[in-house]
Amino acid sequence: MKMSLFIGVILCLCVISFNCARTNAPAPYGPIPSENQLRWQEMEYYAFIHFSLNTYTDQSWGYGNEDVNLFNPVELDCRQWARICKEAGMKGIILTAKHHCGFCLWPSQYTEYSVKNAPWRNGKGDVVRDMADACKEYGLKLGIYLSPWDRNYADYGKPEYITYFRNQLTELLTNYGPIFEVWFDGANGGSGYYGGANETRTIDRTTYYDWSNTYKLVRSLQPNIVIWNDGGDRADLRWVGTEGGWVGETNWSLLNATGDVPFNMLHYGVENGDSWVPGEVNTSIRPEWFYHPVEDAMVKSVPKLLDTYYNSIGRNGTLLLNFPIMPNGLIHPNDEKAALEFARAVKEAFAVNLVEKTNATATNVRGNANKFAAARALDGNKESYWATDDEVTTASLTIDFGEPVIFNRFLVQEYIRLGQRVKAFSVEAFIDGNWQEIAKATTIGYKRILRFPTVQATQVRLNITDSKSCLLISNIGIYNAPQILNPPVIIRNQAGEIIINPVDAESVVYYTLDGSAPTTNAKLYTGPVQTDGKLEVRAIAYDPARDKSSPESREKFDLPRTAWKIIGIKDEHAGAILDGNPSTAWYHSNDKTMPIDLVIDLGKEQNLCGFRYFPEQTYWGPGIITNYQFYVSANNKHWKLVDEGEFANIKNNPFWQIKNFAPEKARYIKLRALKNTEGNNKTGYAEVDVITN
Ligand code: FUL
């Protein structure tokens, strides 16, 4: 009797401890974020500010010899910057305290090349101080961009510069309060003023800066900081390999601590990386980082900014959106308008979470414990989560609305404090009595948001179909975002057909060919429209269900290119140069060396007065021409040079390059490439076109 009681107690204890093990939180899996990285990730959205002497010289990269007297932002108001960022829903601002030109926005005691020698406020001004004060007033965090490459400093390239760099860093990280992030830009074009040496200096980016000791200094001065670095030792955050405003659809917050990371891996992270290095998506609200008046009309549209949002924050990244400052010291009204409309659109999209007050069930709940139940993913508490048993790496969670509900966005978050795990998942909706897959994706991480055409359903099911370890889902949101229509895309192919593609599935297109503004009374687009001669196409996308129109698209076309022929190239793919589609490109074969010619027969004599070149869009290793000559001929034998020059800043800003020349009658044109962005012989073209009288 006594013996059986004893065995019973032992058994009970075993069961209890077994269940306890199952109801304990899962062990971390793989690398996990530090507290600083977690705090940073939760900021989600913050601003970059690009401001320096470049602002006054219309340059992207100053050479280092620009005159400090140019710096005089008479209306400078960091409170305007902070107000706009705050109203835009941003959580912080990173300021270019020193860009590559070496000019310092604060009165550094280690150089004369700073605001202290500028006319602005009689040399008494300090932009970093004003920024720090404004951030404090508006409840924003402050970050610092300090360019390691310094084209002004005489000792750049020598060990002495590292001391200078650390001294400046110490000033910035000591005198301006808490700094949330420091940005060490790896860009280095080699040449520079360097105190008057005017030469090219090469450094070994893996050793020159001795990053590990600089990191120690940074962390000792600012224990809560995160370090961004794309140039040297692995830091806390990674560049995502593009400035285009997106990170990979698959996005692991992991890299390996050592070894080179090819830029395409920066898009995706490394699935089995040994360190937690999450991606930050940095992009500008305009094509360029610094202010250029010509870009006042090129501020990104709300649909474009929303794409950026879904492709950064919606893909386990943060979004660092840049405002260039104008020479007067303010953000341009067009940029402010775009940022605030974008913020409104995001707010509206996520205003109502339809999962509130719904029931959820899961195919597996860790230890059947209430604290890990499906409902924990819907309770709005970021510290609670739905979890599965250790051995369960695929499972489903079903949300029952109890009635038909309309939606088009699905948001899901992992509890990343214990690691990033999910490799693949799908979302199904119960529509008219059937389960239908409405979206499918790979990684989740801190936050994943999926967009899909609007559906009406009574239930939604999240299926995790592949994971590294058991599942920990801390949040799910389902939303019905108002549709914001994208302007349609207009092209004219070589046959002269106008093709207008709506970007959004739920819209139709109205267009005009006579220059008048398109409304829903204009022609409805039903398929390619044959055209001839010069014309302007204007079009809108329209959603009949919501009675909403997109912003307008406008494209001007010159000669039809039906009779054009590319001479001397047999490759049929070369047609990409004339197909009207900027996203298709053609390259010369590798055996060519500069100068490299492209000759086109226009079919008959034309009155030419200019040409246009659209480069192909690859950022890395591209064949983008920077220096050119343009010739015309009546017979393809005797050529006349009518224009030559450079496509300035084409690498960072790979858009249409438009060149005009004195009118010439000719049947043949020749675009001669003299140099490309990479200093090699690769030469490509997305489009080449002419301008006629
Ligand atoms: C790049 C720099 O070269 C640009 O000028 C800009 O500062 C951007 C954020 O990073 O690498």
Side-chain angles (χ1 to χ4, degrees):
M1 189 66 182
K2 269 187 182 165
M3 190 58 177
S4 63
L5 186 63
F6 176 72
I7 290 170
V9 168
I10 295 290
L11 272 178
C12 270
L13 284 174
C14 284
V15 168
I16 288 168
S17 74
F18 180 68
N19 271 337
C20 275
R22 290 169 64 89
T23 54
N24 280 342
Y29 186 89
I32 56 169
S34 67
E35 284 303 319
N36 291 356
Q37 287 169 319
L38 270 174
R39 203 180 317 109
W40 161 86
Q41 186 96 48
E42 287 174 3
M43 288 174 69
E44 294 194 2
Y45 181 36
Y46 42 95
F48 227 161
I49 295 273
H50 272 67
F51 188 37
S52 187
L53 283 174
N54 297 354
T55 309
Y56 299 87
T57 56
D58 214 7
Q59 297 182 107
S60 314
W61 288 357
Y63 190 69
N65 62 350
E66 290 75 20
D67 187 353
V68 287
N69 287 307
L70 292 172
F71 192 82
N72 196 10
V74 282
E75 293 172 55
L76 183 125
D77 181 7
C78 293
R79 296 180 67 251
Q80 185 236 19
W81 313 353
R83 174 186 59 73
I84 292 169
C85 293
K86 185 74 183 184
E87 286 175 12
M90 295 166 147
K91 299 292 187 314
I93 302 180
I94 301 179
L95 172 67
T96 53
K98 180 183 87 169
H99 202 254
H100 310 323
C101 70
F103 178 75
C104 299
L105 293 183
W106 80 105
S108 171
Q109 61 166 295
Y110 301 101
T111 179
E112 295 307 305
Y113 203 48
S114 87
V115 282
K116 73 183 177 200
N117 289 316
W120 177 59
R121 294 186 189 163
N122 297 319
K124 300 276 177 291
D126 179 347
V127 184
V128 182
R129 170 76 55 223
D130 280 24
M131 184 78 271
D133 291 348
C135 281
K136 202 166 172 199
E137 179 181 339
Y138 282 88
L140 295 165
K141 295 185 180 185
L142 177 65
I144 294 290
Y145 171 116
L146 185 72
S147 172
W149 182 33
D150 187 321
R151 303 176 93 181
N152 173 265
Y153 200 67
D155 281 340
Y156 181 79
K158 299 186 192 149
E160 288 81 349
Y161 173 73
I162 305 307
T163 309
Y164 172 73
F165 183 68
R166 289 187 182 144
N167 283 339
Q168 294 202 317
L169 201 49
T170 305
E171 287 182 320
L172 290 164
L173 300 185
T174 310
N175 297 331
Y176 299 95
I179 304 295
F180 82 95
E181 176 170 341
V182 66
W183 230 81
F184 296 134
D185 190 332
N188 189 328
S191 64
Y193 171 70
Y194 304 129
N198 290 311
E199 60 190 14
T200 296
R201 292 185 181 171
T202 316
I203 53 118
D204 177 350
R205 47 193 259 144
T206 57
T207 53
Y208 177 57
Y209 296 109
D210 179 22
W211 284 118
S212 61
N213 282 311
T214 301
Y215 291 178
K216 276 186 205 147
L217 173 71
V218 169
R219 294 193 203 287
S220 72
L221 297 172
Q222 294 278 344
N224 294 328
I225 206 165
V226 279
I227 302 172
W228 187 100
N229 193 342
D230 71 333
D233 292 20
R234 211 69 77 231
D236 299 323
L237 312 177
R238 76 170 201 272
W239 186 43
V240 295
T242 170
E243 293 174 355
W246 57 273
V247 63
E249 193 271 311
T250 296
N251 179 15
W252 293 101
S253 290
L254 306 174
L255 286 184
N256 286 321
T258 53
D260 261 357
V261 187
F263 81 90
N264 57 347
M265 288 314 289
L266 292 171
H267 298 337
Y268 311 113
V270 172
E271 183 175 324
N272 294 313
D274 59 21
S275 309
W276 188 271
V277 192
E280 175 188 78
V281 175
N282 66 305
T283 194
S284 186
I285 198 159
R286 298 169 170 230
E288 269 278 359
W289 294 99
F290 283 93
Y291 180 77
H292 307 285
V294 69
E295 292 185 352
D296 287 352
M298 296 185 197
V299 177
K300 290 178 182 167
S301 67
V302 171
K304 173 85 188 144
L305 290 168
L306 280 169
D307 275 344
T308 301
Y309 180 89
Y310 287 108
N311 294 337
S312 57
I313 295 171
R315 287 184 176 177
N316 186 33
T318 59
L319 174 55
L320 172 56
L321 183 68
N322 178 64
F323 294 106
I325 301 301
M326 293 188 287
N328 67 358
L330 297 172
I331 293 176
H332 191 280
N334 292 359
D335 304 45
E336 171 175 2
K337 187 165 174 280
L340 299 188
E341 280 177 11
F342 167 43
R344 231 182 334 271
V346 171
K347 203 168 169 192
E348 275 171 28
F350 299 99
V352 180
N353 186 351
L354 298 162
V355 303
E356 274 165 21
K357 305 194 198 95
T358 57
N359 291 321
T361 50
T363 51
N364 178 279
V365 168
R366 188 174 183 80
N368 283 322
N370 189 33
K371 67 175 174 179
F372 297 123
R376 301 281 87 83
L378 312 184
D379 64 6
N381 176 356
K382 66 181 176 145
E383 292 308 327
S384 69
Y385 47 87
W386 161 52
T388 58
D389 290 320
D390 278 342
E391 66 284 4
V392 176
T393 56
T394 61
S396 298
L397 179 151
T398 304
I399 294 162
D400 191 351
F401 297 122
E403 58 179 351
V405 165
I406 295 172
F407 57 93
N408 51 23
R409 301 284 183 273
F410 184 87
L411 177 153
V412 56
Q413 296 186 266
E414 279 185 84
Y415 186 71
I416 57 166
R417 212 174 253 286
L418 296 177
Q420 184 183 357
R421 298 155 183 249
V422 174
K423 295 191 316 182
F425 70 102
S426 69
V427 181
E428 291 174 300
F430 198 64
I431 302 168
D432 297 333
N434 294 305
W435 283 107
Q436 286 178 28
E437 185 175 282
I438 51 172
K440 201 173 172 174
T442 55
T443 49
I444 295 178
Y446 168 70
K447 186 180 273 189
R448 189 69 207 266
I449 310 172
L450 303 184
R451 292 187 277 183
F452 41 84
T454 307
V455 293
Q456 176 166 330
T458 50
Q459 295 178 63
V460 176
R461 189 153 71 189
L462 164 67
N463 304 308
I464 309 281
T465 50
D466 197 3
S467 174
K468 288 178 171 179
S469 183
C470 64
L471 314 172
L472 287 81
I473 301 298
S474 72
N475 187 32
I476 290 175
I478 296 179
Y479 305 88
N480 189 25
Q483 193 184 20
I484 301 205
L485 290 171
N486 290 279
V489 178
I490 306 169
I491 64 168
R492 176 156 78 171
N493 65 17
Q494 205 191 341
E497 292 171 325
I498 297 289
I499 299 165
I500 316 178
N501 288 319
V503 176
D504 307 281
E506 294 142 336
S507 61
V508 292
V509 167
Y510 289 95
Y511 70 100
T512 65
L513 301 179
D514 60 3
S516 62
T519 64
T520 48
N521 293 325
K523 278 196 191 124
L524 178 69
Y525 179 80
T526 51
V529 183
Q530 188 63 50
T531 60
D532 199 13
K534 289 190 177 197
L535 80 162
E536 184 179 21
V537 184
R538 297 175 66 174
I540 50 165
Y542 174 72
D543 177 3
R546 295 169 199 241
D547 189 23
K548 283 210 167 132
S549 303
S550 72
E552 180 185 323
S553 300
R554 275 174 104 142
E555 290 291 344
K556 281 190 176 158
F557 298 100
D558 205 284
L559 291 180
R561 298 188 281 180
T562 330
W564 290 24
K565 283 197 183 66
I566 297 170
I567 311 256
I569 294 172
K570 297 223 167 45
D571 183 355
E572 60 186 37
H573 297 114
I577 303 172
L578 304 178
D579 67 359
N581 184 352
S583 52
T584 57
W586 181 84
Y587 306 85
H588 286 284
S589 61
N590 289 336
D591 53 6
K592 294 245 180 204
T593 50
M594 299 279 184
I596 296 173
D597 292 342
L598 175 75
V599 179
I600 299 173
D601 176 1
L602 307 179
K604 62 177 186 189
E605 188 181 81
Q606 303 288 358
N607 293 315
L608 305 176
C609 64
F611 76 99
R612 307 194 298 155
Y613 165 58
F614 196 88
E616 48 90 6
Q617 300 289 294
T618 321
Y619 191 79
W620 292 91
I624 300 181
I625 304 167
T626 52
N627 294 69
Y628 71 92
Q629 287 176 332
F630 196 80
Y631 296 83
V632 298
S633 167
N635 53 16
N636 192 18
K637 284 198 186 91
H638 303 107
W639 291 95
K640 181 174 179 189
L641 177 67
V642 289
D643 188 33
E644 63 184 321
E646 67 171 358
F647 302 126
N649 198 30
I650 193 170
K651 180 167 180 172
N652 284 349
N653 198 5
F655 292 105
W656 279 111
Q657 307 293 311
I658 301 169
K659 298 288 176 181
N660 296 300
F661 48 79
E664 281 289 337
K665 284 193 190 323
R667 171 171 167 172
Y668 298 89
I669 59 167
K670 175 156 69 185
L671 173 58
R672 171 166 288 179
L674 301 176
K675 203 171 162 228
N676 74 4
T677 51
E678 311 305 298
N680 59 29
N681 291 304
K682 199 172 166 197
T683 308
Y685 320 79
E687 290 293 307
V688 172
D689 205 352
V690 295
I691 304 168
T692 59
N693 284 333

